[in-house]
Amino acid sequence: MTAADSYFQTERHGPVLRLTLSRPDKRNAMGPAFWDGMAPQIEAIDADLDVRCEVLDGAGASFTAGLDLMQMAGTLPIDLGPAAPDGRKQAALHALIRRMQAAISSVERCRVPVIAAVHGHCLGGGVDLITACDIRYCAADAVFGVRETRLAMVADVGTLQRLPAIVGPGRARELVFTGRDFGAEEALRIGLVDRVLPDAEALREAALQTAREIAANAPLAVEGAKRVLVEADRARVEASLEYVATWNAAHLRTRDLGAAFAAFASRTPPDFEGR
């Protein structure tokens, strides 16, 4: 079993498949195992025509804490020192961002509807992930945050492309620019989630029940409806994903990013200079 395989757990409920992010000791942080494994998981679902709906949730105390900065730091082709920019590293960074984008976009393009069931923390990359889902439920303890600006980054794997269409452009800008955390009731009020359940157990049962209702409908009609809905906005999303990948390949390497990584490692507030 590979690390990517061990990150995910699957459970069948008749025509419904439950896919669980399973790295609970790290709050399901999204390291290489997630980015390598997400698209193959979706490919397996697409190939199994007996699956008519998917529920995506997280093991342990949280849905996901987002990008695993410590694990991913070793894979990022970025030199935070004073050396001159390296064109090969910039091209490699662009390719890496595009591959990470594809992992998230695979969820949006999954053959069947995907219901996100969020409890605990859903931060950074977790918001990228749930905005690619078709339906979003959460537990009352859910905490959301688009934190990339607090880490001297431009979010580049889907939130900036999909969140404005879900919550509205103004609300999306406020959440992105401040990077603040917000809870379940606000998420419901702004339309990020469709239902709030009392706890994780009630959340999963509600998500499974909705998935069963979807699975009871004509599967080809459901698949067709999803395909049409996704295709209606696919060109805009894809163009914007390419743009942000190009932007970050050129601009991600900053002194502020180095300060953010150092602050994260030392658990101290960063001092950003705008350089």
Side-chain angles (χ1 to χ4, degrees):
M1 178 181 291
T2 68
D5 292 331
S6 64
Y7 182 90
F8 300 93
Q9 292 181 347
T10 59
E11 182 179 281
R12 287 294 290 266
H13 297 259
V16 175
L17 186 136
R18 178 183 170 195
L19 180 64
T20 301
L21 311 181
S22 186
R23 195 185 172 205
D25 57 318
K26 297 294 184 180
R27 293 190 298 161
N28 304 320
M30 302 158 81
F34 171 83
W35 302 109
D36 293 341
M38 188 75 250
Q41 291 289 331
I42 297 299
E43 289 171 6
I45 292 169
D46 284 347
D48 186 346
L49 299 183
D50 290 330
V51 176
R52 297 187 178 187
C53 195
E54 175 194 340
V55 172
L56 177 63
D57 63 9
S62 291
F63 180 71
T64 177
L67 185 71
D68 189 324
L69 285 173
M70 293 298 100
Q71 275 201 346
M72 294 302 294
T75 71
L76 295 174
I78 300 174
D79 181 4
L80 295 177
D86 184 329
R88 289 183 183 271
K89 286 187 177 180
Q90 288 173 290
L93 178 58
H94 182 276
L96 175 62
I97 293 169
R98 292 296 280 163
R99 183 170 64 82
M100 293 169 70
Q101 290 174 346
I104 298 296
S105 292
S106 71
V107 177
E108 181 176 65
R109 296 167 189 171
C110 181
R111 175 179 58 82
V112 301
V114 180
I115 302 172
V118 178
H119 73 291
H121 286 95
C122 178
L123 306 175
V127 178
D128 291 293
L129 181 57
I130 66 168
T131 57
C133 296
D134 299 284
I135 298 168
R136 289 161 295 277
Y137 292 173
C138 76
D141 70 345
V143 177
F144 303 86
V146 185
R147 290 187 174 183
E148 282 84 353
T149 52
R150 291 165 57 182
L151 297 171
M153 297 179 182
V154 176
D156 58 10
V157 293
T159 289
L160 300 186
Q161 289 69 35
R162 299 182 177 100
L163 184 64
I166 296 169
V167 304
R171 289 192 179 101
R173 283 171 168 79
E174 191 264 342
L175 296 174
V176 170
F177 297 160
T178 65
R180 68 178 178 83
D181 294 347
F182 57 100
E185 289 305 320
E186 182 173 356
L188 179 65
R189 187 174 71 252
I190 66 177
L192 178 60
V193 300
D194 305 294
R195 290 182 65 184
V196 176
L197 286 304
D199 52 42
E201 183 177 353
L203 166 69
R204 292 190 180 107
E205 183 50 47
L208 287 170
Q209 179 57 37
T210 297
R212 294 186 193 103
E213 293 177 18
I214 292 171
N217 289 329
L220 295 180
V222 172
E223 292 173 30
K226 172 165 182 175
R227 181 66 179 267
V228 171
L229 287 166
V230 170
E231 287 297 323
D233 206 30
R234 182 169 178 169
R236 181 195 63 80
V237 169
E238 180 58 29
S240 184
L241 287 171
E242 170 59 28
Y243 182 87
V244 74
T246 302
W247 174 274
N248 270 355
H251 299 289
L252 185 60
R253 178 181 177 266
T254 62
R255 292 186 186 182
D256 282 349
L257 181 63
F261 271 77
F264 182 83
S266 63
R267 299 185 180 278
T268 58
D271 183 14
F272 295 134
E273 302 177 25
R275 301 177 68 184

